[in-house]
Amino acid sequence: MAEFRLAAEHRTEFGKGSARRTRRAGRVPAVLYGHGQDVVHLSLPAREFAAALRNGGTNVLLTVELDGKDQLALTKAIQRDPITRVHEHVDLLLVRRGEKTTVDVPVIITGEPAPDTISNHQLNSVLVEADATNLPESIEVDITGRTAGNGVTAGDLPLPAGATLITDPEALVIGFLGAPTAAELEAELEEAEAEAGIERDESETDGDVVPEPQDQGSGESMESAEKSSDA
């Protein structure tokens, strides 16, 4: 597991105005807590923090440099602007080498199920307990060739050495269903239309109606017929 070193600075001003000034200065407001120590208000370099998340994942282990002292920490909560995606605030949890901690680990799907099979991702992550300095960034599961009814539970996931699953092992992570047939899709459509009060025109199901040809008579033009009557 990669570690990322960030130079932190103390924060002595608080409130929304102070937080905006901190972000304008290229830093992220944060708090550091854990192991019975008082909460420390600090800021982190925004660019380096974003790079740590991008390369190490949400469970990235950070070495926070503050007052000439290094402290290990994990991100416990991250607030982002819903539009700009800028990091607005971070909660950091102090950890020690050798201690266990519980984190959410993303589940990554690889491969494709069997033909005419649809996968249904039920859980995007699972709870795992592991050494704070050796947390998995993600858990990959290969679904190649999986068929309907052959689901993947949390207990089926391949955990890294030293990690313990906290999520219920019987919890369904990925389910698989057979692709619906044309008849099943048509039946679902008719049921939805009936529930919506839509009455289907049965003539539409009989194909296009071809109009009957009109009687063309003998093929003589109207002008020819008038000349004949004048003769």
Side-chain angles (χ1 to χ4, degrees):
M1 181 180 183
E3 295 183 25
F4 296 84
R5 183 176 295 273
L6 301 177
E9 297 178 358
H10 280 286
R11 283 192 300 132
T12 57
E13 295 182 339
F14 309 101
K16 292 183 178 180
S18 173
R20 283 195 293 268
R21 287 191 293 272
T22 299
R23 289 191 288 270
R24 282 199 297 268
R27 303 187 68 83
V28 182
V31 293
L32 177 67
Y33 58 88
H35 292 299
Q37 100 169 15
D38 293 336
V39 175
V40 178
H41 297 268
L42 46 81
S43 67
L44 304 171
R47 181 176 297 179
E48 288 82 350
F49 177 69
L53 292 182
R54 185 169 56 252
N55 293 290
T58 55
N59 295 324
V60 61
L61 182 65
L62 302 174
T63 298
V64 180
E65 301 176 25
L66 186 64
D67 296 334
K69 180 182 178 181
D70 290 350
Q71 301 183 81
L72 295 178
L74 297 172
T75 56
K76 292 302 291 183
I78 302 174
Q79 296 178 22
R80 287 186 177 180
D81 184 282
I83 298 176
T84 65
R85 306 303 294 167
V86 169
H87 297 112
E88 295 188 326
H89 192 273
V90 182
D91 287 7
L92 300 175
L93 176 66
L94 282 170
V95 294
R96 294 172 181 156
R97 296 186 185 278
E99 76 172 322
K100 297 285 187 178
T101 188
T102 301
V103 293
D104 261 320
V105 180
V107 176
I108 306 299
I109 298 176
T110 62
E112 296 292 336
D116 298 325
T117 303
I118 300 174
S119 62
N120 185 10
H121 206 164
Q122 297 286 327
L123 292 180
N124 294 319
S125 63
V126 292
L127 278 176
V128 170
E129 183 184 66
D131 190 311
T133 60
N134 192 31
L135 297 174
E137 297 178 12
S138 62
I139 299 174
E140 289 192 359
V141 54
D142 187 0
I143 63 171
T144 301
R146 293 268 183 171
T147 56
N150 187 19
V152 177
T153 64
D156 296 328
L157 297 176
L159 298 182
T164 303
L165 181 68
I166 303 301
T167 297
D168 182 359
E170 299 299 321
L172 183 63
V173 178
I174 311 167
F176 298 92
L177 302 171
T181 64
E184 290 172 338
L185 291 174
E186 178 66 19
E188 290 182 6
L189 177 60
E190 291 182 358
E191 182 179 352
E193 290 177 343
E195 292 178 354
I198 300 174
E199 294 186 3
R200 180 177 293 195
D201 186 353
E202 295 299 331
S203 65
E204 295 179 357
T205 62
D206 296 334
D208 295 333
V209 178
V210 180
E212 295 182 359
Q214 296 181 355
D215 185 6
Q216 300 297 321
S218 62
E220 293 182 341
S221 66
M222 182 63 70
E223 183 179 355
S224 299
E226 290 176 353
K227 288 181 180 181
S228 297
S229 61
D230 295 336

